[in-house]
Amino acid sequence: MTTSTTRVLALLEILQGGGTRTVADLAARLGVDQRTVRRYAGHLLELGVPVESLRGRYGGYRLAPGHRMPPLMLTDEEALAVLLGLLVAQRTGPVTASGAASESAAAKLRRVLPKALGRRLEALLETADFTAPPRSAGAREAGLLLGLAEAARDRRPVALGYTDRRGRSSERTVWPYGLVAHGGRWYLTAADPSAGPATDPSAGPATDPSTDPSAGPATDPSTDPSAGPATDPSIDPSAGPVAGPAEVRTFRLDRVTGMHVLPGSFESPPDFDPVAAVLDSLAGAPWAHEVRVRVRAEEHHVRRHLPPGLATLSPLPPEDGADWTEVRLRAERLDWIPAVLAALDRPFVIDRPPELRTLVTSLADRLTMYATASAPEAPAPDDH
């Protein structure tokens, strides 16, 4: 590769860093005069790279948004970082691209890796494995993610179609507040004006669980089709900014059947935290049992055993000079909770449900029996 070609590619790499670069700055970085910089920029234009020229005292060059991505120039370390991130995301992350798109992108990067680096990557892929199974996603979900992100940023109402885990479909107008990636899935937090004012947070947000919390935090929030019509006739999205009490709901993105942005705008609460809303929603999902336990321990100690999305923790006033924490969670089954309480290794009081006390006592009896049982005698040696 000639020195001139190398410097043209170096100019492209500098421009890919973003922003406008003055001709003087580019000339100094490339070690050439300003006239040569302009000639190099012309070479990039001939190659189809969308380079914009800005005139004036502080003018220079920058990459313009083009109809296609310009050629990328990555160092070995950068290419490896991108490729590893893509491969890991396919298995453990909230994937939003189709499997074909992810695989073709990874293949392109692997083809341009130096042989030595490629061999090291192959060794990693052959010896590494994941505990989580891959989750497939299609281009439809990627389009939804981008569309909802724009609506949330621009504070635009959205007409949303949703199907819950029982196959019930609903159509309603929501105000998207934010998107959250959690447990390998994407969630939308949105105010639902048609549902009315938010209820008591201690009762748990309106969600639709789809899995047992003992198996992990992944749940399936849903809307309530019986809550009324899809939109609230008292709210006109085209009338300008709107604000008011509305129930905040959580929607799992892979269960959204369709969306389109509506005219108008809304005002979101200035201190709203989408992440906290999703975690509280998952922890407060309406399972068969509502559990409330007071633990004589600081909140950070309890949190190590009950992560966000599984339980809601609240500090209680100190008693006898000790810190207490209230634990609230919902569960379809209670049989896994006694082991978690035992792992806390702190005094606790079960407020509800009563049957949990029986399960804890039963576990304690079994552990006592196991710990005090005599080991079986070894068989006598055979003399023959």
Side-chain angles (χ1 to χ4, degrees):
M1 184 178 293
T2 66
T3 302
S4 176
T5 303
T6 301
R7 286 174 175 163
V8 170
L9 294 176
L11 172 61
L12 174 59
E13 185 174 7
I14 294 172
L15 295 178
Q16 285 179 328
T20 301
R21 306 286 182 171
T22 65
V23 176
D25 174 54
L26 292 172
R29 297 186 62 176
L30 296 173
V32 298
D33 57 35
Q34 296 187 17
R35 182 177 179 180
T36 303
V37 170
R38 295 187 179 92
R39 187 171 72 251
Y40 289 168
H43 291 334
L44 291 177
L45 286 170
E46 292 173 358
L47 293 172
V49 179
V51 177
E52 282 187 343
S53 173
L54 282 77
R55 299 184 180 276
R57 180 179 179 184
Y58 300 103
Y61 293 102
R62 68 183 181 189
L63 286 183
H67 64 281
R68 61 186 177 89
M69 182 180 293
L72 291 175
M73 293 182 61
L74 301 174
T75 65
D76 292 352
E77 188 177 1
E78 290 170 342
L80 184 60
V82 172
L83 184 54
L84 285 177
L86 180 61
L87 295 174
V88 172
Q90 288 177 336
R91 293 298 303 265
T92 63
V95 180
T96 54
S98 66
S102 298
E103 291 174 5
S104 63
K108 290 177 181 178
L109 284 171
R110 293 169 74 170
R111 281 199 300 268
V112 300
L113 287 179
K115 290 184 178 179
L117 188 59
R119 287 194 296 268
R120 300 182 71 183
L121 175 65
E122 291 298 332
L124 173 63
L125 297 180
E126 290 175 6
T127 57
D129 209 339
F130 300 90
T131 58
R135 187 181 75 85
S136 60
R140 183 189 66 84
E141 187 172 337
L144 286 172
L145 180 67
L146 297 177
L148 290 170
E150 287 184 324
R153 180 196 61 192
D154 300 336
R155 302 291 185 262
R156 299 287 301 277
V158 170
L160 197 70
Y162 195 78
T163 301
D164 66 20
R165 69 186 180 97
R166 297 183 179 89
R168 299 176 302 185
S169 300
S170 61
E171 298 284 340
R172 60 186 65 236
T173 297
V174 300
W175 304 339
Y177 285 167
L179 292 154
V180 177
H182 176 71
R185 299 187 184 278
W186 282 102
Y187 295 90
L188 168 70
T189 58
D192 186 357
S194 64
T199 56
D200 181 4
S202 63
T207 56
D208 178 17
S210 65
T211 59
D212 189 329
S214 61
T219 58
D220 178 18
S222 71
T223 57
D224 180 8
S226 63
T231 58
D232 185 346
S234 65
I235 298 175
D236 181 5
S238 62
V242 291
E247 183 172 353
V248 176
R249 291 179 177 266
T250 303
F251 302 89
R252 217 174 79 179
L253 210 64
D254 60 330
R255 291 193 176 275
V256 174
T257 57
M259 60 82 67
H260 66 271
V261 180
L262 300 174
S265 61
F266 63 87
E267 296 178 4
S268 61
D271 56 348
F272 182 77
D273 185 351
V275 173
V278 169
L279 294 178
D280 288 344
S281 174
L282 299 181
W287 297 89
H289 302 281
E290 179 184 354
V291 177
R292 294 203 180 190
V293 179
R294 286 172 287 152
V295 182
R296 187 178 180 179
E298 295 180 349
E299 183 176 344
H300 68 84
H301 175 80
V302 180
R303 181 58 73 197
R304 291 201 296 266
H305 301 272
L306 292 166
L310 188 58
T312 301
L313 307 184
S314 303
L316 296 173
E319 295 183 14
D320 300 329
D323 292 312
W324 285 78
T325 300
E326 182 184 49
V327 178
R328 300 194 311 272
L329 59 89
R330 309 291 179 95
E332 194 67 25
R333 303 193 325 268
L334 297 174
D335 54 357
W336 59 275
I337 299 179
V340 175
L341 295 177
L344 292 175
D345 194 22
R346 294 292 190 276
F348 58 84
V349 177
I350 298 174
D351 292 327
R352 68 174 70 167
E355 53 265 39
L356 180 58
R357 299 191 187 97
T358 303
L359 292 175
V360 171
T361 301
S362 177
L363 174 62
D365 292 341
R366 291 198 305 274
L367 292 176
T368 300
M369 180 181 65
Y370 300 153
T372 57
S374 300
E377 294 182 1
D382 189 356
D383 296 333
H384 300 286

